[in-house]
Amino acid sequence: MPSSPRTDDDSTVATETGKSSITRRRALQTIAAGAVATFGTLQPATADESDEYERITVDAGEHRTITVDDGEAFENVLIDVTADGSHVTIAAQGTDWTIRNVGIEGRVSGKNAVFGVADTGGNTSTIENVYLGDGAIDGHRIGLGIWVAPEHSGHIDVERVNIQEMGDNSFYCSAPGGAGGGTVDIRNCYSANSWVSHFRLADGVVENCTAVNDERHQDGRGVWAWAPGTVEVVDCDLLMNGRHYAIEAGANGNGTAVEVSKTAFTTDFHGGTNEVDGSSIDIVDEPDREPADELPEGCPDSATEAAEGTD
């Protein structure tokens, strides 16, 4: 359930989950290595209070950075980036944090990640009910949805997130791959027309998710699995329309393993799958249906819907 409406003070308040909730956005220098660059000291956000969510407006040409610390919940916020050249990064690199009910309104304009995250304490953090479906402005590698930094050592649950039209990956979660790297589970999420890949990870699950390529923007792999694996793909729809592989395994000389079940995917691009560097894609069963361009149940369809939260 959504937490209580924002107050006017600068402190934090307890939420129903027991986490502290950021009641006024802190615009600071960046902390997420590889995800964002330092832009100097930024001015505090101007937030308009709502009965249901807080609205933050990013000025033209501004890169606003918001940090989420250990145990904090950043939630029920609509971030307006409709001004020319505006961009936002939500950076969470602690542990046991939550990003929930966040809507990005307008096309982002930067190459840095919109969400630069990692659970560096070996615990579980959460991203849920987020909308980044307005996409990014057109340009090489402009727009990166969720970036999970190499320092990630815990687990992140990503649930009901809508990311579209990124010039880079939508869900870029493969960097922690390797010994001691953390895991990421992606469920009930939607991605469309992003370059490189839609769901990219090295160890975890992609379940009940949809990936789509059509003529609207750029074309990426449906699922791109990196080492070490295993990556499970369960009950997904991967509709590539002949524009890229539905599932690709392996990269940069390192193989991985993918297990696919109950997943409908298109095969009109070189058979739909690609195994490189000694990788394997094991299709356990194939559903009796064609892949569909459908938003998973509960996944938000607008920035306002995300910010208002769901039951």
Side-chain angles (χ1 to χ4, degrees), residues 94-118:
T95 190
D96 193 31
W97 47 260
T98 297
I99 296 169
R100 177 194 296 118
N101 302 340
V102 176
I104 311 295
E105 183 179 73
R107 291 184 176 271
V108 295
S109 301
K111 292 185 177 182
N112 306 117
V114 177
F115 297 91
V117 302

Side-chain angles (χ1 to χ4, degrees), residues 6-304:
R6 297 294 179 271
T7 66
D8 283 335
D9 92 14
D10 293 331
S11 64
T12 57
V13 295
T15 68
E16 294 175 4
T17 64
K19 298 180 185 291
S20 59
S21 179
I22 304 170
T23 56
R24 282 290 183 185
R25 303 305 126 217
R26 292 161 303 177
L28 305 174
Q29 291 184 332
T30 63
I31 61 168
V36 292
T38 301
F39 284 78
T41 304
L42 304 179
Q43 296 302 311
T46 300
D48 299 323
E49 298 295 339
S50 162
D51 289 340
E52 297 176 325
Y53 60 86
E54 181 178 359
R55 186 181 187 94
I56 299 171
T57 300
V58 183
D59 294 336
E62 179 189 3
H63 182 162
R64 181 72 56 84
T65 303
I66 298 161
T67 60
V68 184
D69 292 329
D70 292 356
E72 285 187 335
F74 178 70
E75 56 189 355
N76 296 96
V77 179
L78 188 150
I79 302 173
D80 183 341
V81 293
T82 56
D84 289 345
S86 61
H87 191 71
V88 65
T89 292
I90 295 93
Q93 272 211 331
T95 190
D96 193 31
W97 47 260
T98 297
I99 296 169
R100 177 194 296 118
N101 302 340
V102 176
I104 311 295
E105 183 179 73
R107 291 184 176 271
V108 295
S109 301
K111 292 185 177 182
N112 306 117
V114 177
F115 297 91
V117 302
D119 189 303
T120 57
N123 296 311
T124 296
S125 294
T126 303
I127 303 173
E128 63 181 7
N129 205 56
V130 169
Y131 179 83
L132 186 52
D134 290 352
I137 64 171
D138 194 25
H140 181 62
R141 289 194 178 275
I142 294 180
L144 168 57
I146 295 174
W147 156 264
V148 180
E151 295 80 7
H152 173 55
S153 61
H155 179 77
I156 301 176
D157 284 320
V158 182
E159 175 88 18
R160 303 190 316 279
V161 176
N162 184 340
I163 302 177
Q164 300 183 46
E165 299 188 13
M166 296 287 105
D168 205 316
N169 301 260
S170 284
F171 297 78
Y172 193 159
C173 310
S174 62
T183 57
V184 180
D185 288 350
I186 304 170
R187 292 186 168 89
N188 306 309
C189 293
Y190 182 89
S191 177
N193 301 302
S194 293
W195 188 56
V196 185
S197 66
H198 297 283
F199 303 105
R200 174 173 172 170
L201 66 169
D203 189 351
V205 176
V206 182
E207 183 175 359
N208 194 37
C209 293
T210 300
V212 177
N213 287 334
D214 57 33
E215 72 283 353
R216 287 175 291 171
H217 197 63
Q218 302 187 51
D219 305 318
R221 303 160 179 83
V223 174
W224 195 5
W226 284 55
T230 299
V231 173
E232 298 179 49
V233 182
V234 183
D235 199 22
C236 292
D237 288 274
L238 309 175
L239 185 61
M240 301 294 98
N241 287 312
R243 295 172 176 268
H244 219 311
Y245 292 109
I247 304 170
E248 184 165 7
N252 292 349
N254 296 306
T256 189
V258 182
E259 296 180 359
V260 184
S261 61
K262 302 177 183 178
T263 293
F265 61 90
T266 50
T267 60
D268 42 358
F269 186 86
H270 304 292
T273 62
N274 190 33
E275 301 168 337
V276 301
D277 300 318
S279 298
S280 64
I281 299 175
D282 183 14
I283 301 176
V284 178
D285 57 45
E286 296 185 45
D288 186 20
R289 60 183 173 85
E290 295 297 319
D293 182 359
E294 295 181 353
L295 201 66
E297 184 175 358
C299 193
D301 196 26
S302 71
T304 301

